[in-house]
Amino acid sequence: LMDAYVRMGCRPTWTCAPYQLPDRPGFGEHVAWAESNAIVFANSVMGARTNRYGDFIDICAAITGRVPDCGLHTDEGRRATLHLRLTGVRKQLLDHDVLYPVLGHLLGLRAGNGVVAVEGLPQNTSEDRLKAVGAAAASSGAIALFHAIGVTPEAPTWNVVAGAGAREDMVTLADLRAARDQLARVPSGAEIGAVSVGTPHASERELRRLADLVADDRPSIPFYVNTGRAQLAGIGSVADDLVDAGVTVVTDTCTYITPVMHGLAGPVMTDSGKWAWYAPSNLGYEVAIGSLEECVRSAAVGRVVRDETIWGT
C-alpha cells in the first residue's frame, strides 16, 4: 500500500508529525489529514483547517483537490463548545513540560469530540508543548481543535472563539493531579523497565535536548525515542551522540504500535500522554509519566523520579 501511494505521487515522509516538515500548511489553508495528533495540531496551532479524515478519504481528497465544506472547514464549526479556565495551577507546573500531556488528557475527557477553549496557559507556550496537549486530547477524547486563549492563532480572547451556549468549567490543580494518576498509574519511586519518548515524533529541538540530557545522565535501562526521518537527518551528528549514549532511535513508526520493545523487566515511563493512553492496551505494560528530564533521570537510576512538589504533594 505504501509503495502504491508513492507510485501515485505521494512523498514518503513516514511521520505522524507532518507539521514538523518545512512545507507545512499555512493559516486558513484547507487540508485533509488523517492522523489524530496531526489533525489537532493543524487546526489548533497552525490555524489550518481539516476535519478528522480516515484512511482512503484523505487520498480521495488529494486526487480531487476537494473536501466537504462542513465541520472544521467552516467558521461556525470552529467555535468553542466548552470554555475551561485553569485556576490555582502553580507557576512551577505551568513551566514544567509534564503539565501539557496531562492537561491534554483532561481536555479529551472533558470535551469529548467538541471544540474546547482553555484559558490560563502562558502566552509563550511552545509548539512542542501544544503538540503534547493536542496529542493527548485526541487520544482520551476525539478532539480535533482546541483553542488556547492568548496563545493559538484564532483565539486572542474568549469572545472571539465563543460558541453559542458554550459550557463553562474550571480546571484545578487537584483535577490535574487526578488526571495524571488516572492516565499513568505507576507512582514515584517504582522500578521501571524502559523509557519511551517522542510520541508524537520528537522534533529536532526535542532530539537535541535529549542528547544534551543523556550526555550527562546515561540510561541504565532501555531508552527509546521515536522520530521522523527528516528530523533525524536535521540533527546531523547529534543522532550519533544519542546512539553512543545508549538511546535506541526509532524512525518512521512508534514503539506503541510496532513490536520494538520486548521482554522488559517492568513498567515503562514516557513523557507522552498519547503513549501513556495506548501502550497499556497495545503492549500490556503499566506506565509512568513525567517530563523529558524526569524520564532521563529515571532511566539512569531505573526507577520513577519525579518532582511531586509541583503537583502540590
Side-chain angles (χ1 to χ4, degrees):
L1 182 59
M2 292 185 291
D3 290 339
Y5 276 172
V6 172
R7 289 196 299 271
M8 292 173 68
C10 295
R11 182 155 59 94
T13 57
W14 314 132
T15 179
C16 65
Y19 45 82
Q20 293 178 165
L21 299 173
D23 54 348
R24 70 186 197 176
F27 182 85
E29 187 174 346
H30 293 274
V31 297
W33 282 8
E35 155 59 33
S36 64
N37 99 84
I39 291 164
V40 69
F41 190 98
N43 280 314
S44 309
V45 183
M46 297 190 298
R49 298 190 171 201
T50 178
N51 286 317
R52 290 171 63 99
Y53 292 107
D55 286 342
F56 307 121
I57 296 178
D58 52 357
I59 197 68
C60 291
I63 292 169
T64 63
R66 294 182 179 275
V67 294
D69 185 15
C70 64
L72 296 175
H73 291 286
T74 69
D75 291 344
E76 188 60 31
R78 301 177 72 82
R79 294 193 174 277
T81 58
L82 174 63
H83 182 200
L84 290 179
R85 299 175 187 268
L86 299 185
T87 179
V89 179
R90 300 176 174 190
K91 183 180 184 300
Q92 298 98 310
L93 186 54
L94 289 168
D95 290 340
H96 207 280
D97 285 345
V98 73
L99 165 69
Y100 296 87
V102 171
L103 174 62
H105 174 66
L106 184 58
L107 296 188
L109 295 177
R110 293 272 187 97
N113 63 354
V115 177
V116 59
V118 59
E119 190 162 0
L121 294 181
Q123 287 189 335
N124 63 346
T125 302
S126 69
E127 284 199 356
D128 285 331
R129 287 178 168 178
L130 294 172
K131 173 179 73 171
V133 173
S139 300
S140 62
I143 288 181
L145 167 62
F146 72 89
H147 299 293
I149 306 300
V151 180
T152 53
E154 294 179 63
T157 66
W158 161 242
N159 288 337
V160 171
V161 295
R167 295 182 291 122
E168 298 273 348
D169 205 350
M170 295 187 300
V171 174
T172 67
L173 182 60
D175 293 332
L176 290 166
R177 189 166 57 241
R180 183 200 69 170
D181 293 342
Q182 179 206 41
L183 175 63
R185 300 179 184 276
V186 177
S188 294
E191 292 186 356
I192 53 174
V195 168
S196 181
V197 300
T199 306
H201 279 167
S203 65
E204 289 185 26
R205 176 183 171 277
E206 289 171 317
L207 290 170
R208 294 180 187 279
R209 187 168 158 218
L210 174 59
D212 288 341
L213 291 169
V214 295
D216 298 324
D217 217 2
R218 296 172 69 93
S220 64
I221 57 176
F223 195 114
Y224 302 85
V225 60
N226 308 288
T227 192
R229 57 178 66 184
Q231 283 64 52
L232 191 63
I235 63 171
S237 63
V238 174
D240 296 327
D241 296 337
L242 287 168
V243 174
D244 291 343
V247 175
T248 298
V249 180
V250 179
T251 56
D252 300 344
T253 186
C254 186
T255 51
Y256 80 88
I257 55 172
T258 301
V260 175
M261 307 168 74
H262 301 284
L264 302 181
V268 180
M269 190 168 182
T270 185
D271 64 345
S272 163
K274 180 174 184 174
W275 202 96
W277 177 262
Y278 287 114
S281 58
N282 285 8
L283 304 178
Y285 291 115
E286 293 186 304
V287 177
I289 194 166
S291 67
L292 183 61
E293 287 86 351
E294 289 170 336
C295 285
V296 170
R297 182 86 278 267
S298 299
V301 300
R303 57 181 173 80
V304 178
V305 178
R306 291 191 301 216
D307 181 0
E308 295 291 348
T309 63
I310 61 174
W311 298 97
T313 58

